[in-house]
Amino acid sequence: MSSVPSEAATKVERSSLTDTCASGTGPCDEALARAFQFLGKRWNGIILGTLANGTSGFAELRRNVGGIADSVLAERLNELHEAALIIRSVDPGPPVAVSYALSPTGTALVPALQALGAWATSNLPPS
Amino acid sequence: MSSVPSEAATKVERSSLTDTCASGTGPCDEALARAFQFLGKRWNGIILGTLANGTSGFAELRRNVGGIADSVLAERLNELHEAALIIRSVDPGPPVAVSYALSPTGTALVPALQALGAWATSNLPPS
DNA sequence: AGCAGTAACTTTTTTTTTCAAAGCGACTTG
DNA sequence: CAAGTCGCTTTGAAAAAAAAAGTTACTGCT
């Protein structure tokens, strides 16, 4: 992981979630704050969960995620790519085609996402 | 759960995350969207993770979460309370004292939060 | 050839969300 | 009395997300 250049670290974000949480032994410690640096931004959890179903192009992902603005999807994909959670592959074509997939780091998140889904199934009323 | 009046359901949200996700058997299904209805809003994951360490008052929670605006914390606590993820208890005092704790629904989320923390520890660079 | 459609974004404007600061009433302490 | 804390509420500014239109590069159809 330390070999991945983290350009996100050079972008000073207001109220960075990585500065939050009392140091403790409980679930809310620095690690959880780091997880929510991504997951606490609208759409990231859903995007990663959708990509867990398999590789997608931009438009397919937009349709499968459902309800996200193009510009927000583009920005999220860039951030997730820069953080090495997803892999962006370009087929030069023609026609040019771009596909997105979970990286190993992103894939490692899937069991936790599954746990979240299981929790919601058991604990949240259907909308 | 079904005995809890869900006022959140009467508030039509634009781009509701519960309308997202292709139906599928993968992690991104309706259940995950429902989980991110809460967790995809900034601060909710951290708030729930902080409360997993034990009951807190408002000011203590604000300090322990770190970096959240009063007004946002107040609103988040109201939403989480309305969704029955937390319990709000009032000690009439004097002085009056309000405390917040995870409900059984909120508590059931803790293992998934722990999984997220473990993933971050193994997969995300320290900031 | 022109047209319409799709993909993968980008740009602009509008709307919503979050932030920062101040405020309020109810207390406690020195 | 003043100053501090608590648990919020209010206001206006800043940031993020949404909505809509746009661009380039194709493909397929008439």
Side-chain angles (χ1 to χ4, degrees):
Chain A
M1 297 301 111
S2 57
S3 66
V4 178
S6 173
E7 295 188 8
T10 65
K11 191 174 196 178
V12 180
E13 289 185 2
R14 178 167 63 172
S15 298
S16 169
L17 286 178
T18 58
D19 294 332
T20 67
C21 294
S23 297
T25 57
C28 194
D29 50 14
E30 251 194 51
L32 191 65
R34 295 213 306 276
F36 277 100
Q37 188 177 13
F38 297 103
L39 299 179
K41 295 191 78 169
R42 189 151 186 186
W43 296 113
N44 272 344
I46 303 292
I47 289 167
L48 293 167
T50 303
L51 285 176
N53 293 328
T55 301
S56 280
F58 186 94
E60 183 181 11
L61 190 54
R62 182 186 58 221
R63 282 191 300 271
N64 288 337
V65 166
I68 185 171
D70 278 4
S71 54
V72 175
L73 180 57
E75 175 156 351
R76 290 289 178 279
L77 291 173
N78 283 333
E79 292 160 2
L80 292 170
H81 177 242
E82 284 173 6
L85 267 67
I86 62 174
I87 294 163
R88 181 178 179 274
S89 308
V90 180
D91 175 359
V96 68
V98 182
S99 62
Y100 297 91
L102 290 184
S103 69
T105 296
T107 303
L109 182 60
V110 171
L113 293 181
Q114 283 171 336
L116 290 180
W119 167 79
T121 298
S122 303
N123 291 280
L124 294 183
S127 55
Chain B
M1 296 302 106
S2 58
S3 65
V4 179
S6 173
E7 295 189 7
T10 66
K11 191 176 197 178
V12 181
E13 288 185 3
R14 180 168 64 174
S15 299
S16 169
L17 287 178
T18 59
D19 295 332
T20 67
C21 294
S23 296
T25 56
C28 194
D29 51 13
E30 251 195 52
L32 191 64
R34 294 214 303 277
F36 276 101
Q37 186 176 14
F38 297 102
L39 299 179
K41 295 187 79 169
R42 185 149 188 188
W43 297 114
N44 272 342
I46 303 293
I47 290 167
L48 293 166
T50 302
L51 285 176
N53 292 330
T55 300
S56 280
F58 185 94
E60 182 182 9
L61 190 54
R62 183 187 57 222
R63 283 191 299 272
N64 288 337
V65 165
I68 185 171
D70 277 5
S71 54
V72 174
L73 179 57
E75 175 157 349
R76 290 288 180 277
L77 290 173
N78 283 334
E79 292 161 2
L80 292 170
H81 178 240
E82 284 173 4
L85 266 66
I86 63 174
I87 294 162
R88 181 178 180 272
S89 308
V90 181
D91 176 357
V96 69
V98 181
S99 63
Y100 297 91
L102 290 184
S103 69
T105 296
T107 302
L109 182 60
V110 170
L113 293 181
Q114 284 172 334
L116 290 179
W119 167 78
T121 297
S122 303
N123 291 280
L124 294 183
S127 56

